[in-house]
Amino acid sequence: MGDAFELGDLFWAKVGSHPWWPCMVYYTPNGESYVRSKGKLFSYHVQFLGPLVERAWVYTSNLIPFEGKKKFDEYVQDKLKNSKDKNERAKFDSKSTSSNREIWTQSWKEAESALSMTPEKRIATFGRISVKSKVKPLSKNEEGEILQLLSNVPLTMEEEAESLAAYLREELELRSERNPEIDRKLLEEELRAQWPCFDIPTKRSYLQNKLSIFQSVPEVRLSAI
């Protein structure tokens, strides 16, 4: 049961006293699994659709596959008519209030527009929660191997500017300590003249983050919760 639902799947979700609301299974903000298990119970992380960006963990017992507003209305009427369980009837008898009916309507209409999309396109189109994936730190051996591969890769303009600035700063401070009376302006001109003669590994050694292109944290979608 825990593997039954996938990212991008559409549902109606029931949370507390709120009305049933359209949602889709979505990434957690910290990039961890979107499904949790507690014994035989499973809950899924969902993002609610519509203009309000909200999310929640919802048990499968409170999720109904979204197949459109009409089918949902028919399903609810059937439950209210045939269910003998008082609590279950109460769960389906909840309705949106006048204050949120307009938002609720926008939400199920958005979900209906997403029905014909693939799960991937739904996530790309309607995913609004900021998600960060955890990146495993590189070992010293892995870092060394990557730096070796980068030894002949030219620096970008930004990297070149950063490494040159770091080189000038370090050398000016070091040589000024050794000779406080040194002409810093003349020294900087000499250092700049030497810079083009340095090889790529030497230039890259002055970068603060030598492996930034491998260590950036991917953003799936940017939006405040």
Side-chain angles (χ1 to χ4, degrees):
M1 184 65 180
D3 297 327
F5 304 154
E6 302 292 341
L7 286 167
D9 284 353
L10 296 172
F11 293 94
W12 290 94
K14 185 73 171 72
V15 178
S17 60
H18 296 285
W20 289 88
W21 209 278
C23 66
M24 69 175 172
V25 178
Y26 195 68
Y27 302 98
T28 59
N30 57 13
E32 294 180 351
S33 176
Y34 57 87
V35 57
R36 289 176 177 173
S37 62
K38 187 177 182 181
K40 295 183 179 181
L41 299 177
F42 290 89
S43 61
Y44 285 81
H45 183 266
V46 302
Q47 176 201 288
F48 295 99
L49 298 177
L52 300 180
V53 183
E54 301 286 349
R55 64 185 183 87
W57 286 94
V58 185
Y59 284 108
T60 53
S61 58
N62 285 332
L63 290 172
I64 300 173
F66 185 93
E67 299 177 302
K69 174 67 161 50
K70 183 178 180 181
K71 286 194 174 182
F72 175 72
D73 288 341
E74 293 172 352
Y75 182 85
V76 170
Q77 290 304 314
D78 180 70
K79 285 290 184 180
L80 292 175
K81 180 180 179 180
N82 299 314
S83 178
K84 296 181 180 180
D85 188 316
K86 183 178 180 181
N87 291 330
E88 185 175 26
R89 288 201 306 272
K91 185 166 71 172
F92 285 96
D93 196 31
S94 61
K95 299 178 181 179
S96 59
T97 62
S98 57
S99 61
N100 65 18
R101 177 166 292 278
E102 183 178 346
I103 296 174
W104 182 75
T105 299
Q106 292 180 49
S107 300
W108 66 255
K109 286 185 176 180
E110 183 173 282
E112 286 196 337
S113 70
L115 268 176
S116 60
M117 299 179 181
T118 63
E120 293 77 12
K121 188 172 182 180
R122 289 173 196 155
I123 289 173
T125 304
F126 299 112
R128 302 183 178 103
I129 295 174
S130 177
V131 181
K132 290 187 176 181
S133 298
K134 294 184 177 180
V135 179
K136 180 182 177 182
L138 295 172
S139 67
K140 290 295 183 182
N141 288 338
E142 290 172 327
E143 183 175 327
E145 290 174 0
I146 293 176
L147 286 174
Q148 182 63 35
L149 291 172
L150 290 174
S151 62
N152 292 317
V153 178
L155 278 67
T156 64
M157 292 180 63
E158 292 79 6
E159 289 177 327
E160 185 84 22
E162 179 189 335
S163 57
L164 173 58
Y167 165 69
L168 292 174
R169 182 171 58 253
E170 291 180 18
E171 289 297 320
L172 285 170
E173 290 179 1
L174 179 62
R175 301 192 191 192
S176 294
E177 287 180 3
R178 293 176 180 174
N179 182 7
E181 297 181 359
I182 196 170
D183 187 328
R184 291 177 63 91
K185 184 176 180 180
L186 182 60
L187 175 58
E188 181 175 340
E189 291 178 356
E190 293 178 356
L191 293 173
R192 287 182 179 275
Q194 295 173 8
W195 181 253
C197 301
F198 292 168
D199 58 16
I200 292 174
T202 301
K203 290 183 176 181
R204 196 170 289 279
S205 68
Y206 286 97
L207 291 173
Q208 182 177 10
N209 188 351
K210 304 174 183 62
L211 301 175
S212 60
I213 59 174
F214 296 96
Q215 296 173 327
S216 58
V217 178
E219 291 284 338
V220 177
R221 191 77 175 185
L222 294 176
S223 178
I225 297 177

